[in-house]
Amino acid sequence: MKTNKWLQLAFLMMVFLTSCSSEDTTPSPYVPQGDFDSGVLVLNEGNMGSTNTTISFISFDLSRTQNDIFGGVNNDILGDTAQSIGFNGNLAYIVVNASDKIIVANRYTMLKVGEINAGLSKPRYIAFANGKGYVTNWGSLSGNGTGSIKVIDLGSNNVTATIVVNDNPNKIIEHEGKLYVSHNNLGEKGTTISVIDAATNSLSTSIEVGDLPDTMKIEGDHLWVSCVGINDYADPGNNTSGRIVEINLVSNAIIQSFFPTSSTAKITFMDLYGDHLFYTINKDVYKMSITATALPTAPSFTSEAENPYGFAVKNNKIYLGDTKNYVVNGAVYVYSSGEQFDPNPIGTLLKTVEVGVGPNGFYFNQ
């Protein structure tokens, strides 16, 4: 009898432990936080001087698309010529350049929750550090000492400080308490990356990288920078080629610079995905290992875009925005990136989506 009782007890303990183990190891299903979770927000900047800025949505599985999601939710407009979106927690900060304001909305529902509309002057991009927002401001296209970084108290949505930097501060990213700012006016000015200490809100150093530095991506302690190169229509003799620069973030020293084979090639977009850099020259898309010693001599594929205007790589997909003639609705082409576990070769067109005017950026929501 005692033996049977011990056997019964052992059996019950085994069932209990198995049940607990099963509960502990089974992941909970992901619960979307809003209608625009698990997808890509496409920022359509609209026409300068108009108020037709919109945001489109494309689900990650490409099965659902929707245009003007902010307007549909809020029955409101964003303003004149939006430049970028920055995510901070559950909030999306939509930088509306020509309207000198930033709209704050829930990134998953697009419901507007606030607005920053004082103290900005031609804002461009935003990054976050130490509980504050840092916004690049051109002041004017020519610069002439008007460029700055505005510091925003995210609790009150007020500008609380100004950091003076070189003219035409443009894109900005944060890494380990430092802010990295690329300087260019989309034409002929700008050759540096500014490094700002977010703890003191002060400029610590500048790094000379090449003509018109634009996109910045960080991998480990390396900063990758794409430089567009000068395209001077009035005097082609001033033209320079683009380049990609790799910087050591510990020493702020340039490790190496990569140049296209053509001395007139402009590197218009770049992204880092996995252990590869993806970049564009005109309509051509290139893919390069981050351990390579030179840029590839031939593109991976040529896109269908008439006028490439936005670019990003995520989830084994390449997203390319086409602004066409800057007046009509643009398009987004989604291609396979050809990464591991991708059944399609790079450049396979997976989806074409009509979006708003001037699709200039992609923001991944999950």
Side-chain angles (χ1 to χ4, degrees):
M1 293 293 294
K2 289 184 178 180
T3 302
N4 288 339
K5 288 182 178 179
W6 280 112
L7 289 173
Q8 290 174 356
L9 179 61
F11 176 76
L12 290 173
M13 288 295 294
M14 185 187 310
V15 172
F16 175 75
L17 291 173
T18 302
S19 175
C20 288
S21 175
S22 175
E23 290 178 358
D24 290 343
T25 58
T26 302
S28 300
Y30 180 76
V31 178
Q33 300 182 58
D35 288 342
F36 310 114
D37 196 350
S38 301
V40 185
L41 303 185
V42 183
L43 183 61
N44 309 299
E45 68 179 39
N47 303 115
M48 180 70 75
S50 300
T51 56
N52 57 345
T53 287
T54 62
I55 298 174
S56 301
F57 174 80
I58 305 172
S59 63
F60 287 148
D61 64 5
L62 307 181
S63 66
R64 185 166 71 94
T65 65
Q66 186 174 338
N67 286 323
D68 194 15
I69 59 175
F70 179 88
V73 169
N74 298 282
N75 192 28
D76 195 4
I77 60 173
L78 285 165
D80 182 358
T81 317
Q83 184 61 49
S84 64
I85 299 175
F87 288 156
N88 185 45
N90 291 338
L91 298 179
Y93 290 75
I94 306 160
V95 182
V96 189
N97 175 267
S99 294
D100 285 337
K101 66 180 181 180
I102 298 174
I103 302 292
V104 187
N106 183 293
R107 61 188 281 188
Y108 302 111
T109 67
M110 278 294 106
L111 183 66
K112 180 178 176 180
V113 298
E115 184 172 320
I116 303 164
N117 53 24
L120 303 174
S121 182
K122 300 299 177 284
R124 300 286 295 173
Y125 293 85
I126 186 169
F128 304 92
N130 293 341
K132 300 179 179 65
Y134 292 81
V135 185
T136 57
N137 285 251
W138 271 3
S140 70
L141 182 62
S142 61
N144 298 325
T146 59
S148 65
I149 310 295
K150 300 294 185 178
V151 184
I152 296 176
D153 182 314
L154 298 179
S156 64
N157 282 341
N158 291 323
V159 174
T160 58
T162 299
I163 304 171
V164 177
V165 294
N166 291 337
D167 277 339
N168 305 118
N170 202 41
K171 293 184 178 176
I172 181 170
I173 59 173
E174 185 274 340
H175 180 68
E176 296 184 353
K178 295 288 197 306
L179 296 158
Y180 298 86
V181 181
S182 59
H183 293 265
N184 76 70
N185 69 345
L186 310 183
E188 303 170 19
K189 293 183 179 181
T191 60
T192 62
I193 301 294
S194 289
V195 185
I196 294 170
D197 188 338
T200 60
N201 287 344
S202 61
L203 177 66
S204 59
T205 190
S206 293
I207 307 169
E208 286 281 341
V209 290
D211 290 322
L212 306 188
D214 187 38
T215 302
M216 299 170 290
K217 297 292 176 178
I218 292 175
E219 186 273 328
D221 58 0
H222 290 191
L223 174 66
W224 294 87
V225 182
S226 66
C227 297
V228 177
I230 292 174
N231 193 11
D232 189 340
Y233 294 101
D235 186 358
N238 294 329
N239 289 348
T240 59
S241 76
R243 71 183 72 176
I244 293 176
V245 180
E246 181 184 7
I247 299 171
N248 185 310
L249 290 179
V250 177
S251 63
N252 289 328
I254 292 178
I255 299 172
Q256 54 187 334
S257 295
F258 300 86
F259 294 87
T261 53
S262 170
S263 61
T264 61
K266 305 295 182 282
I267 296 180
T268 44
F269 302 104
M270 182 190 76
D271 205 352
L272 175 65
Y273 180 60
D275 57 359
H276 286 92
L277 285 171
F278 294 78
Y279 64 95
T280 65
I281 296 176
N282 297 321
K283 300 179 183 181
D284 293 331
V285 179
Y286 294 76
K287 179 180 179 180
M288 178 187 83
S289 169
I290 59 174
T291 61
T293 57
L295 297 184
T297 57
S300 297
F301 68 96
T302 299
S303 73
E304 278 82 358
E306 177 184 339
N307 194 350
Y309 207 58
F311 183 78
V313 186
K314 189 79 169 179
N315 300 332
N316 283 343
K317 297 179 181 68
I318 297 170
Y319 297 82
L320 198 151
D322 182 3
T323 193
K324 299 186 182 295
N325 64 359
Y326 296 91
V327 177
V328 302
N329 283 345
V332 171
Y333 301 101
V334 186
Y335 299 94
S336 169
S337 69
E339 291 293 275
Q340 190 177 14
F341 307 120
D342 190 338
N344 300 301
I346 186 171
T348 302
L349 182 61
L350 305 175
K351 185 85 171 180
T352 301
V353 181
E354 181 177 326
V355 292
V357 177
N360 70 6
F362 300 94
Y363 304 89
F364 297 89
N365 221 8
Q366 190 173 63

